[in-house]
Amino acid sequence: MSEKNSSGNQQKRIERRNRMYQDYVERITPTPNLFLQMAKAFVTGGTICLLGQIIVNVANNLGCNKEDAATVCSILLILLSVILTGFNIYPSFANWGGAGALVPITGFANGVAASAIEYKAEGQVFGIGASIFKIAGPVILYGIFSSWLVGVIYWLISLI
């Protein structure tokens, strides 16, 4: 009988400790301001897009056609993102801007560059080579898969 009472008391202590921990977690976890996060993402993404448009306009004024200007824009935005990641500036920018900095091509370049920098000490093959696409790999995989799936659906619809 005392064993049941002892295990019951122990179970109550565990439940009380878990409840206290949950209360503690709720108390210290910051509550996000959704409107502020959306505004920051909008400003960040808009700034990246504005910079891209400036690059396209300058390239057009220097004699590039529309496609070449877009290519120059992509290359320069990727280069800028990688350089800022190397100097540990882009992660702070992305932390402030949220999805506004992570969704565009600059966020993808940041993910690849950050992985390469993080695993550089492990060597070229087992460090950089094996780990560079840990973050970007799923994006590539599901991007290719979803484009294949849309292509198959489009093909099936064209048969009808």
Side-chain angles (χ1 to χ4, degrees), residues 15-82:
E15 288 174 6
R16 191 176 124 227
R17 188 175 60 215
N18 288 344
R19 200 171 37 251
M20 288 173 54
Y21 179 73
Q22 287 294 71
D23 292 343
Y24 169 74
V25 168
E26 288 175 13
R27 210 174 46 248
I28 66 164
T29 302
T31 54
N33 182 339
L34 184 60
F35 181 76
L36 181 62
Q37 287 178 327
M38 289 189 307
K40 287 179 177 181
F42 178 79
V43 168
T44 304
T47 302
I48 293 170
C49 291
L50 176 65
L51 179 61
Q53 190 61 53
I54 291 169
I55 293 169
V56 167
N57 290 349
V58 169
N60 281 333
N61 289 338
L62 292 176
C64 290
N65 63 28
K66 193 174 183 179
E67 286 182 14
D68 291 342
T71 302
V72 168
C73 175
S74 296
I75 290 170
L76 288 178
L77 285 176
I78 290 169
L79 178 64
L80 182 62
S81 174
V82 169

Side-chain angles (χ1 to χ4, degrees), residues 145-160:
F145 176 73
S146 61
S147 62
W148 173 83
L149 186 63
V150 168
V152 168
I153 292 169
Y154 179 77
W155 176 70
L156 290 172
I157 290 172
S158 70
L159 292 177
I160 297 175

Side-chain angles (χ1 to χ4, degrees), residues 107-113 115 131-143:
F108 185 77
N110 170 59
V112 173
S115 294
S131 304
I132 195 167
F133 289 110
K134 280 190 176 181
I135 294 173
V139 175
I140 295 169
L141 171 71
Y142 290 111

Side-chain angles (χ1 to χ4, degrees), residues 67-123:
E67 286 182 14
D68 291 342
T71 302
V72 168
C73 175
S74 296
I75 290 170
L76 288 178
L77 285 176
I78 290 169
L79 178 64
L80 182 62
S81 174
V82 169
I83 290 170
L84 292 176
T85 300
F87 286 113
N88 204 26
I89 296 169
Y90 199 91
S92 300
F93 180 64
N95 189 35
W96 185 84
L102 297 177
V103 173
I105 195 169
T106 54
F108 185 77
N110 170 59
V112 173
S115 294
I117 292 167
E118 183 176 349
Y119 294 101
K120 180 178 72 170
E122 295 178 26

